[in-house]
Amino acid sequence: MADEVGVPRDRKILVAVDESEESMHALSWCLENVLFCGNYKDTLILLYAIPPRAVYPTLDNTGHVFSSDFLAMMLKYNKDAADFVVQKAKRMCKEQARDVKVETRIEHGDPRDVICEMAEKLHVDVVVMGSHGYGLIKRAFLGSVSNHCVHNVKCPVLVVKRPRPDDYRSK
């Protein structure tokens, strides 16, 4: 990106991360291929979306009421998982791109909506995300986060697919 005079400007790059190998591959690819090297800095924003908690019925199948301790445990698990993923991503940034400025965000909500909202709210220049590579049936039932973001985020969205082992065949 450059301003009107042709001087490169700092960019905000949002990278969506989750527990998957695909998101860590996308982050690694971004660190190697998207960040500028030079006398200006890009800001990398690592975003983790904690999905909405499932609606639990007040009674389980034996007729027992779920305790508030169980629900609190589920919330803590989600927060711990988010913290773990974000810390892993920050370590990767430090190892691959020592000087990159990294910010982190942990938000609650459907990842599709959270990524779109944060991209707009933070005025990012590009969104980078991995592709889980779901087949047609899974995508029909689960929806594709990357497809949703490509169609709804107002800045460029870079979807990074993890190479399959057969992509490296000897020629």
Side-chain angles (χ1 to χ4, degrees):
M1 301 270 167
D3 62 15
E4 289 125 21
V5 193
V7 176
R9 67 175 180 85
D10 300 343
R11 299 176 302 174
K12 288 184 182 179
I13 301 166
L14 180 114
V15 180
V17 294
D18 61 18
E19 295 86 357
S20 71
E21 290 180 31
E22 290 82 5
S23 80
M24 290 300 132
H25 174 74
L27 172 59
S28 179
W29 192 92
C30 175
L31 292 167
E32 292 174 13
N33 297 288
V34 177
L35 293 178
F36 280 141
C37 298
N39 58 359
Y40 46 92
K41 299 282 183 197
D42 288 335
T43 300
L44 198 62
I45 302 167
L46 303 173
L47 174 64
Y48 184 99
I50 297 176
R53 88 186 144 144
V55 178
Y56 298 105
T58 55
L59 300 176
D60 65 12
N61 62 357
T62 62
H64 293 94
V65 176
F66 281 123
S67 71
S68 59
D69 290 343
F70 172 77
L71 297 177
M73 182 184 70
M74 293 300 294
L75 291 173
K76 181 177 179 341
Y77 172 80
N78 287 339
K79 170 121 179 45
D80 289 348
D83 289 339
F84 176 80
V85 169
V86 167
Q87 290 307 314
K88 179 180 175 182
K90 284 173 70 174
R91 275 192 309 276
M92 183 183 290
C93 293
K94 188 173 274 193
E95 290 167 4
Q96 285 188 247
R98 297 185 190 281
D99 296 333
V100 68
K101 181 180 176 188
V102 177
E103 297 176 5
T104 60
R105 302 287 299 239
I106 297 175
E107 302 290 334
H108 293 268
D110 185 307
R112 291 174 285 219
D113 299 329
V114 168
I115 294 167
C116 294
E117 289 166 9
M118 287 294 104
E120 187 167 343
K121 179 180 177 182
L122 301 173
H123 305 288
V124 300
D125 296 292
V126 63
V127 173
V128 178
M129 59 193 321
S131 170
H132 287 268
Y134 293 141
L136 183 61
I137 307 249
K138 273 190 179 177
R139 201 169 44 244
F141 284 105
L142 299 174
S144 167
V145 174
S146 57
N147 186 53
H148 179 85
C149 292
V150 163
H151 288 95
N152 292 287
V153 171
K154 294 180 173 129
C155 67
V157 177
L158 179 59
V159 180
V160 180
K161 291 182 91 172
R162 200 169 115 213
R164 296 182 304 235
D166 59 341
D167 290 344
Y168 293 111
R169 282 184 247 152
S170 302
K171 294 186 179 189

